[in-house]
């Protein structure tokens, strides 16, 4: 089955630090990757959609200058949380899809981000 | 726009009992439907999907779901659950203008008791 690797699995850092999270599709080419945020005991909230070689499309209310997304290749997308603050603490999950339409998304194992 | 409602936030059940997790959706266009499972501190794993064809869809780990267009439902069922099925389950829909995007339900926590 399709495998998506997300790294790191857990990050604890001080307020003001920028944190980069990587999402890799290990055995397929992901034309589209999605970034989600999940608060405790809540569902997944889509933050942005990234297509290889183009700018990410952000959902309403998500600050694109705060959450920088780069999808430089068909197997790698990164999310950088810039100048992180305690309210950015959350569980971030990426997913990858071979093509956007009707193909299931394959999810990484998530990154637990804790800002002190 | 699509929306998904999972009618039960928590479902407790005893081991080897049957279970049904309910999911209703709303959409003005044809949709694709998915069920995912999430274990603690992990990402989501696809259980099954409905794209077209037979309305009864079989997935992994003995789960199945039935697409009912008239009732706009996609309930997940398993005839006999195991302790290892304890997890959170998410129903999701893709369709219309939300090209490739999934809209998730609120999730149902299934707890299987011995």
């Amino acid at each position: 089955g399709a495998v998506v690797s997300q790294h790191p699995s857990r990050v604890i850092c001080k307020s003001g630090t920028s944190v980069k999270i990587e999402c890799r599709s290990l055995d397929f080419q992901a034309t589209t990757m999605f970034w989600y945020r999940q608060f405790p005991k809540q569902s997944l909230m889509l933050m942005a959609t990234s297509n290889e070689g183009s700018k990410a499309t952000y959902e309403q209310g998500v600050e694109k200058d705060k959450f920088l997304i780069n999808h430089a290749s068909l197997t790698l997308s990164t999310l950088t949380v810039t100048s992180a603050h305690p309210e950015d603490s959350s569980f971030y999950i990426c997913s990858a899809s071979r093509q956007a339409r009707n193909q299931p998304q394959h999810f990484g194992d998530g990154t637990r981000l804790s800002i002190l | 726009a699509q929306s998904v409602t999972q009618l039960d936030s928590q479902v407790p059940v005893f081991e080897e009992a049957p279970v049904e997790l309910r999911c209703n959706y709303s959409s003005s266009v044809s949709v694709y439907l998915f069920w995912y499972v999430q274990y603690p501190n992990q990402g989501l794993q696809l259980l099954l999907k409905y794209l077209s064809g037979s309305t009864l869809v079989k997935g992994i780990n003995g789960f199945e779901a039935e697409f009912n267009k008239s009732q706009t439902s996609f309930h997940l069922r398993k005839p006999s659950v195991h302790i290892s099925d304890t997890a959170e389950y998410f129903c999701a829909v893709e369709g219309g203008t939300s090209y490739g995007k999934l809209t998730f339900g609120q999730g149902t926590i299934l707890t299987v008791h011995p």
Side-chain angles (χ1 to χ4, degrees), chain B residues 1-98:
Chain B
Q2 289 74 235
S3 68
V4 180
T5 302
Q6 290 182 241
L7 298 161
D8 306 294
S9 59
Q10 297 192 50
V11 173
V13 66
F14 287 107
E15 193 173 19
E16 297 184 4
V19 70
E20 178 180 82
L21 306 184
R22 297 180 293 169
C23 172
N24 285 91
Y25 69 92
S26 66
S27 175
S28 58
V29 298
S30 296
V31 296
Y32 305 116
L33 295 155
F34 305 84
W35 273 100
Y36 286 88
V37 59
Q38 184 180 33
Y39 298 100
N41 295 311
Q42 293 186 24
L44 276 65
Q45 180 182 6
L46 179 68
L47 279 177
L48 48 79
K49 61 183 184 286
Y50 172 78
L51 303 180
S52 64
S54 173
T55 56
L56 182 62
V57 180
K58 294 189 183 297
I60 63 171
N61 301 341
F63 284 93
E64 63 181 31
E66 186 157 18
F67 171 59
N68 188 318
K69 188 175 181 179
S70 63
Q71 296 186 5
T72 60
S73 68
F74 191 55
H75 301 332
L76 181 71
R77 301 186 183 98
K78 186 170 182 177
S80 176
V81 294
H82 302 289
I83 297 288
S84 59
D85 292 323
T86 295
E88 188 159 18
Y89 292 78
F90 291 95
C91 180
V93 62
E94 179 204 333
T97 58
S98 61

Side-chain angles (χ1 to χ4, degrees), chain A residues 34 36 38 41-44 46 49 57 59 91 93 99-110 112, chain B residues 30 32 34 36 38 41-44 46 49 51 88 90 94-96 98-102 104-107:
Chain A
F34 302 87
Y36 296 87
Q38 186 178 30
K41 300 187 186 301
Q42 293 188 29
S43 189
L44 281 73
L46 179 65
T49 304
T57 302
E59 295 299 301
F91 192 55
I93 307 175
Q99 62 181 61
R101 189 67 172 158
N102 80 30
Q103 290 295 312
Q105 294 180 25
H106 302 280
F107 287 80
D109 278 341
R112 175 74 60 191
Chain B
S30 296
Y32 305 116
F34 305 84
Y36 286 88
Q38 184 180 33
N41 295 311
Q42 293 186 24
L44 276 65
L46 179 68
K49 61 183 184 286
L51 303 180
E88 188 159 18
F90 291 95
E94 179 204 333
S98 61
Y99 188 83
K101 297 181 186 178
L102 292 176
F104 284 90
Q106 301 89 328

Side-chain angles (χ1 to χ4, degrees), chain A residues 3-5 22-33 52 70-78 94 96:
Chain A
V3 178
V4 174
S5 173
E22 292 188 349
C23 181
R24 294 180 184 272
S25 57
L26 299 184
D27 55 355
F28 68 101
Q29 293 187 325
T31 54
T32 305
M33 287 187 173
E52 185 266 339
N70 183 281
H71 193 162
S73 76
L74 285 171
T75 59
L76 174 64
S77 175
T78 60
C94 73

